[in-house]
Structure formats: C-alpha cells, structure tokens
Amino acid sequence: VNLADITIKSGGKLTLSSGVTLVVTGDFNIESDATRTGTFVDEGGTLSIGGSIHVQQYLTGAGGSTPNGRHWYVTSPLVNGTSAAFNVTDGNKLWYYNESAFAYSPITNNTTALSPFEGLVTRIGANSDADFVGNNSNTFNTGDLTIANLSRTGTSNAERGYHLIGNPYPSYIDWDNVTKTNVLPTIWYRTANNVGTMLFDTYNALSGVGTSLNGQEVNGFIPPMQAVWVRVSTDGTQGALQFNNADRSHQVDAAHNNLKADVIKDLVSLSVSNGTEADEAIVVFNQSASNSFDGYDSPKMFVENKSVPQIYTAASGENLVINGLTDIATNPSIAVGFKTNNAGMYTISLKDIKGLDGVHVTLNDAFTGKSQDLTANSTYSFVSDSTNNMNRFSLGLKSDLTYQSINKNEISIYTTENSIVVDRKSVV
C-alpha cells in the first residue's frame, strides 16, 4: 500500500496487519484533542515513512512561564524521542524519577533523549499538544520491547522498588498480558479527582479490580503515552517487563469491557470522605489468594496532600488499597486503617458490594463502641482528630444464609434430560 500522507485524527484508529507493507512517501501524523487521541496498532507489518512523524498528546496547562496547572504523567511513543516535545526552554517543566535516589530529577533542555519506557512528569504553562517528532530512522516503538534491571534499592525506604514507566506504543497496551518478572501485578495511575486534587488510582491484574477516584474505575488498558507506577516485588532482586504487539489495541471498547465483566468479583469497596475529598479501599475474595501479602494485594500509595482523608487495610505489614483474601470464613473481621491530618467530621461509606449475596457488612468503631450494618445504612459519620490509626475501625462480614447438615442416606442424585438432580428423600 502506497500513500502520500497519513493523518490519524483524534479518536481515529489505524491497524497495520501482519504481512502488509505500508509506504508513506510524505508525513505520518497522529492527532490529539481534549477528549481523545488517535491510535496506531502495528500487528507486525512493514512501515516505511519518507517524511516526518508527528505524534501529539493534548495536555492542559496554566501559569505561562511559571506553570501552576496539573501534573501529567507521560512517555514517548518514538524510538528516539526528545524533550523538545515539551518545549522546556520556554518555561514548561519536565522531570523523570530516579528510584535509587527516591527523588525526581529535572530535564532543563530540549535535546535530552527519552527512553521508550521512561515515565515523565510534565507541567506546562498553557493548553497545548506535546508533539513528538520523528522520521523513518526515528519511528514508532513496535515489536517486542523489554525494560530490564528495574532496581529495588536498599531494604528500609518505604519508596524502594517504585518506578515510573510508560506505555511505549502509540496505542493501548493490556497490562494483564505484559510479562512481569519480580514486578507486582499492580499499576498505579496518578489521576485528578473532580476538584483537581492529584490522587493514586490503582489496578490489580490478578484481582482484576481497580479504584475509581477519578470518577470511573481504572482498568489494565494503559492508554498511549501514559506513564504509570510499578513496583519491584522483593528486596535483593531486579525486575523486568516485556511488552509485545499482541498485547496492543485501540481505544477500549464494549467488547473488551464485556470480556472483563464476565467474571463477577466477590468484593467490598469502602470510601472515606470529608465532604470535599475522598479515598477508597477494596477487599476482594478469591480462592487463589492467600490471607497474607501476595500478588492479589496492591500496596497503598498515600498522597501527600494533607486535605485528603485516606483509608486502607493491611496484610503482612503492608498497607493496602486492594486486599485480596481467600474467603469470608477465614476473615470474618478485617482491620480498617484511617489517616487524616485534620480534625473534623468524616464519613465512611459502603461504596460497592459485588458477588456476596446474603452477606452483611458491618463497620465497627472501637472508639465510640458503635457498630453499623452498612448493607442497611451505607454511610457512617464520625469525628476524628489528626490520626493514622489501624485500631479504631474494623469491617465485620457475616452471611445470613444458614446451613443444615444432611445425612448422605437422605439424598438421591440422578440424571434426567441432560441435567443432574439432587433430591432430598422423604424421611419417615
């Protein structure tokens, strides 16, 4: 296929199938606006570009030469992208994160080469498109890509093992299918809530659930040019991630959501609010999970903003935002942590309950001695001083289903019309 130029409009989709050769004699452009970004999926075809490549990512900004808008977490979709995409010499800000130093480092010029996997944080002075520019020798990231030697520095710093990495493709990537070596199956999105406060939304690939602090539940389809946090799982190891074309897709559609929704999760989701800011914690039950810390658990990334109350659970000394447990029978009571920097009135609410028919969820307050059935009255209000406390609240889970033992001689099991029937015999 030969074309003079290609422009994928915002929200547009282009797939290059395996075995197809696409020759673009001119320019290849991918556009973006405030609501959508164009996506390009390479399934293993051959691409030749004679002109320039421009990949845009729309970002909001404010403050002019002294940016004061929100921070954006991004990465480059090109093999050899540069910091010129963010025009930092005009006052825009750009940083990368150094795990070994537990700190951000600034990029202050327009010539720094950007790694395909390197997560970046930018803050810009006005609404505009980050414009990644390339050519046929500096083209789109594609094929099998591996990020290796992810460090976990030391044994004591709470931030050890965290890395800001990016989706290297100009398309969505399915985190569920990314090959992970010594890396937790959790990703953390840095998102903004409805009042603009920056929070951490969390998704766990094993538990298959995500939080919804930004207004909608996050999932494992990482958008193009999106940076997320990951964590190396164990002290004394290095982590690695492998991405490939088979895990790529365009914008998440109903088919993807339906496939994920087929498995009903047994979960309880709690939120805490001060009336303006809110936070969330999830408990999910899965027979494959253990009751100690494992891959079904997602550590809590606390926000530094002192106006945000925060809620969490724990396992094996790890504070958790998603707590994967084996079953209710072995976890009839779950300690719930609460953290706030400000004295005031707060509410804990039952945000969601799924797959737990007949289960009553009770919030117990050891400070006041009160217990409230959240399945009957979903919101509990309380007063708190500044605190970070795992001892005040607990979650009680109890089924109202009753069971009766039956002697095996009292039942009969037989087949009829392709069905299995279990019948209790009449007892004289």
Side-chain angles (χ1 to χ4, degrees):
V1 179
N2 292 271
L3 296 172
D5 297 289
I6 288 180
T7 296
I8 304 174
K9 294 290 187 178
S10 57
K13 308 171 186 179
L14 176 64
T15 299
L16 179 59
S17 299
S18 177
V20 174
T21 297
L22 175 60
V23 177
V24 182
T25 56
D27 297 338
F28 194 125
N29 304 307
I30 302 178
E31 296 183 348
S32 177
D33 62 23
T35 60
R36 297 176 298 177
T37 296
T39 52
F40 171 56
V41 173
D42 182 357
E43 295 181 344
T46 300
L47 176 64
S48 175
I49 301 172
S52 297
I53 298 171
H54 290 268
V55 184
Q56 298 177 347
Q57 177 59 62
Y58 181 85
L59 304 172
T60 61
S65 60
T66 55
N68 57 14
R70 67 162 290 178
H71 294 85
W72 292 98
Y73 289 70
V74 294
T75 197
S76 172
L78 301 181
V79 173
N80 293 303
T82 70
S83 55
F86 303 95
N87 200 18
V88 296
T89 56
D90 278 356
N92 294 332
K93 304 299 181 183
L94 188 66
W95 301 267
Y96 66 93
Y97 184 76
N98 186 334
E99 188 276 341
S100 62
F102 310 115
Y104 293 94
S105 298
I107 296 174
T108 57
N109 58 58
N110 281 356
T111 58
T112 297
L114 305 177
S115 163
F117 285 102
E118 186 174 49
L120 302 164
V121 183
T122 188
R123 199 178 200 186
I124 62 176
N127 297 354
S128 65
D129 289 306
D131 188 9
F132 297 92
V133 181
N135 51 48
N136 197 37
S137 61
N138 178 20
T139 188
F140 304 106
N141 293 314
T142 190
D144 292 347
L145 297 173
T146 298
I147 178 170
N149 303 319
L150 292 172
S151 58
R152 184 173 164 108
T153 302
T155 58
S156 59
N157 193 298
E159 297 178 0
R160 68 190 185 280
Y162 282 100
H163 291 264
L164 187 61
I165 64 99
N167 170 9
Y169 304 116
S171 61
Y172 284 79
I173 187 77
D174 188 352
W175 173 251
D176 289 12
N177 294 329
V178 171
T179 301
K180 311 164 189 73
T181 303
N182 296 327
V183 174
L184 293 178
T186 295
I187 50 176
W188 293 265
Y189 292 91
R190 194 73 157 129
T191 57
N193 64 12
N194 62 346
V195 294
T197 303
M198 297 299 293
L199 304 168
F200 291 101
D201 262 320
T202 309
Y203 173 75
N204 186 299
L206 283 184
S207 292
V209 298
T211 60
S212 53
L213 299 174
N214 73 102
Q216 61 183 24
E217 182 178 334
V218 296
N219 58 37
F221 289 96
I222 304 173
M225 293 168 278
Q226 172 76 57
V228 297
W229 289 97
V230 301
R231 197 182 93 170
V232 176
S233 56
T234 308
D235 289 340
T237 66
Q238 289 188 328
L241 298 168
Q242 183 174 1
F243 296 69
N244 61 68
N245 282 346
D247 301 332
R248 297 172 59 179
S249 67
H250 294 293
Q251 282 89 337
V252 180
D253 54 26
H256 286 117
N257 288 333
N258 286 340
L259 286 173
K260 284 185 172 294
D262 284 342
V263 179
I264 298 175
K265 312 297 188 307
D266 295 344
L267 65 81
V268 174
S269 175
L270 297 178
S271 66
V272 65
S273 174
N274 60 10
T276 302
E277 304 285 1
D279 190 36
E280 183 179 354
I282 299 173
V283 178
V284 58
F285 296 96
N286 188 315
Q287 288 293 327
S288 298
S290 71
N291 291 329
S292 56
F293 181 75
D294 62 11
Y296 291 86
D297 302 311
S298 296
K300 182 79 173 183
M301 290 189 76
F302 290 97
V303 298
E304 297 179 356
N305 190 320
K306 293 183 178 181
S307 67
V308 180
Q310 297 179 79
I311 192 171
Y312 57 97
T313 60
S316 306
E318 286 271 5
N319 294 326
L320 306 175
V321 58
I322 299 173
N323 190 350
L325 298 172
T326 305
D327 52 34
I328 291 176
T330 56
N331 297 278
S333 180
I334 302 166
V336 177
F338 172 64
K339 179 180 180 181
T340 181
N341 291 95
N342 302 309
M345 177 70 73
Y346 298 90
T347 59
I348 292 178
S349 301
L350 179 62
K351 186 172 184 178
D352 199 4
I353 182 169
K354 294 179 180 178
L356 297 172
D357 294 338
V359 171
H360 287 270
V361 179
T362 302
L363 184 69
N364 304 302
D365 186 342
F367 182 75
T368 63
K370 294 180 179 179
S371 294
Q372 181 166 313
D373 184 350
L374 295 179
T375 49
N377 184 359
S378 63
T379 299
Y380 176 76
S381 298
F382 63 98
V383 175
S384 176
D385 292 329
S386 174
T387 187
N388 186 3
N389 191 342
M390 278 289 295
N391 299 316
R392 177 169 180 176
F393 297 106
S394 64
L395 202 62
L397 301 172
K398 183 179 180 181
S399 175
D400 61 8
L401 299 176
T402 58
Y403 301 90
Q404 180 180 359
S405 297
I406 299 176
N407 188 291
K408 65 180 180 180
N409 295 322
E410 298 178 22
I411 62 173
S412 62
I413 302 175
Y414 57 91
T415 61
T416 178
E417 297 180 353
N418 298 319
S419 299
I420 297 175
V421 177
V422 180
D423 188 27
R424 187 173 185 181
K425 300 176 182 177
S426 298
V427 180
V428 179

